[in-house]
Structure formats: C-alpha cells, structure tokens
Amino acid sequence: MARIGGRNIGMAWIAGIICAGVVAVLFGLAAPGIPGAVALVGDLLRQRDAVPSFAQKAAVSDAPTKTPECRALYTDALWSQLTQRAGGDPTQDTSAPATAVAGLASALAPTVRVTCTFVGASTGRITTTVADVAADAASVAQATLEVSGFACAPFGDGVRCTRAAGAVVEEDAVRGGVWISTTYDGWRPEGYLDRIAPQIWPG
C-alpha cells in the first residue's frame, strides 16, 4: 500500500503514546470519585421510587398551630375542602377517640397517633382519631358496635361500622392493627373514610 504523502509514522506513534498517557492520568484522577458518584445516583433513584406512608410523612410536632400528622392523613383535594370550610387547619392532639359507645375504647385499648378536629366556620364538626390497636381488634370492635346498633360490613381484611343518631354520624374502621374513629356532627364529606384509608393502608 502506498504511504500517504506528508505522514510521519514515528511522529504518529509518539503522539499516540502521549494521548494514551494523558487519558490514563485523567482516569487516575477521576477514579476516586467514581464510587461516590455511583452511590449518589443510587440514592436519587431510591428516593424517586419511595412512596411515603402516613407514618413516614407524619413529622412529630408539639406545636398546637402546626398539623404535620393531620396533613399527612388527607389527600390534597380533601384537605383543601376541609380547611376551606373550617377557615384554617384542624386542631391536632392525641385525645382519645370521640366514640359514643361506652366501653369501646377500653375494649380496644388504643394507642392514639393523632386526633384531628375540623370545625366548620358556620356549622359542622368532624373529629377523626387514628390509633394503634391489637391485631385481632376488628372482631372485638364489630361485636361491640353491632350490639350498640351499628351497621357493620367488611373493610378490606377488617371491618367498618356506621351509626347515625340525628345529625351525628359515627364511623369506625378497624383493620391491620389500626383503628380510625370519626364523628361527623352536621358535616360529612362524601367518601371521607374511603379517601383517607389509602394513607393508612396503602395498596
């Protein structure tokens, strides 16, 4: 094969060796940072895929004017609906469930996570308590509530019981070791329990 005019093979070899050396030096300088970069990418992917549950989203706060736990319980749409009618955030504390059934709380022995109370600017009041109970509490709750005139039905692998007494409606759901007790007094948004349940029992 004829040599291309003006090309010096010796100089080409020298230039190639110099380029390879530069690449090797650059790789050596960058190598210590590769594990950190890989770890950073992994962390970002895990954070992207993580779906926070109610417990993960609920930050602990003793300030009465802040409601991180209550906020984590509601979808954006329901939260907006409730706070607009109430004219602000709910009262948040760890008070016992506002059930009207004598003996229910003592039978279930709840450990309250949070109680959220919305009071309508003109009328109506909603109080919801989320509490941890024993794994077999659903059957205890159903037996106690049905004796008290509640209508009960399956709710996932638990039970939901409802009773109306005039303008006051009480709705209790017990499932997977968690009890949600809600009292509606003259104000009951459509599908309230079904809209907060996914934050407590995802999936």
Side-chain angles (χ1 to χ4, degrees):
M1 180 182 291
R3 182 184 302 175
I4 299 175
R7 182 175 182 181
N8 188 314
I9 296 178
M11 290 299 295
W13 271 100
I14 293 172
I17 292 171
I18 291 173
C19 290
V22 170
V23 170
V25 170
L26 292 175
F27 181 80
L29 292 174
I34 292 176
V38 171
L40 177 61
V41 171
D43 289 342
L44 290 174
L45 290 174
R46 283 189 292 272
Q47 290 174 6
R48 181 198 65 183
D49 295 335
V51 178
S53 65
F54 169 79
Q56 292 169 332
K57 292 190 292 182
V60 176
S61 173
D62 294 328
T65 58
K66 297 182 179 180
T67 56
E69 293 95 336
C70 289
R71 180 62 187 90
L73 183 60
Y74 299 93
T75 62
D76 291 343
L78 183 55
W79 178 261
S80 177
Q81 179 183 349
L82 294 170
T83 54
Q84 284 181 12
R85 176 159 176 173
D89 290 355
T91 299
Q92 174 182 292
D93 53 36
T94 54
S95 58
T99 177
V101 179
L104 180 60
S106 60
L108 298 184
T111 299
V112 175
R113 297 187 195 178
V114 66
T115 294
C116 309
T117 302
F118 289 91
V119 180
S122 57
T123 183
R125 179 187 184 95
I126 299 174
T127 300
T128 295
T129 297
V130 180
D132 295 311
V133 292
D136 61 350
S139 58
V140 176
Q142 181 171 356
T144 305
L145 291 168
E146 285 183 335
V147 168
S148 300
F150 281 70
C152 297
F155 189 63
D157 57 357
V159 65
R160 167 170 31 190
C161 301
T162 308
R163 183 184 69 178
V168 178
V169 177
E170 181 177 336
E171 186 171 39
D172 296 280
V174 183
R175 173 182 169 188
V178 180
W179 175 21
I180 299 180
S181 178
T182 301
T183 300
Y184 312 92
D185 188 351
W187 176 21
R188 187 182 183 188
E190 183 177 357
Y192 180 91
L193 177 59
D194 293 320
R195 295 162 73 182
I196 66 175
Q199 279 68 254
I200 303 297
W201 302 291

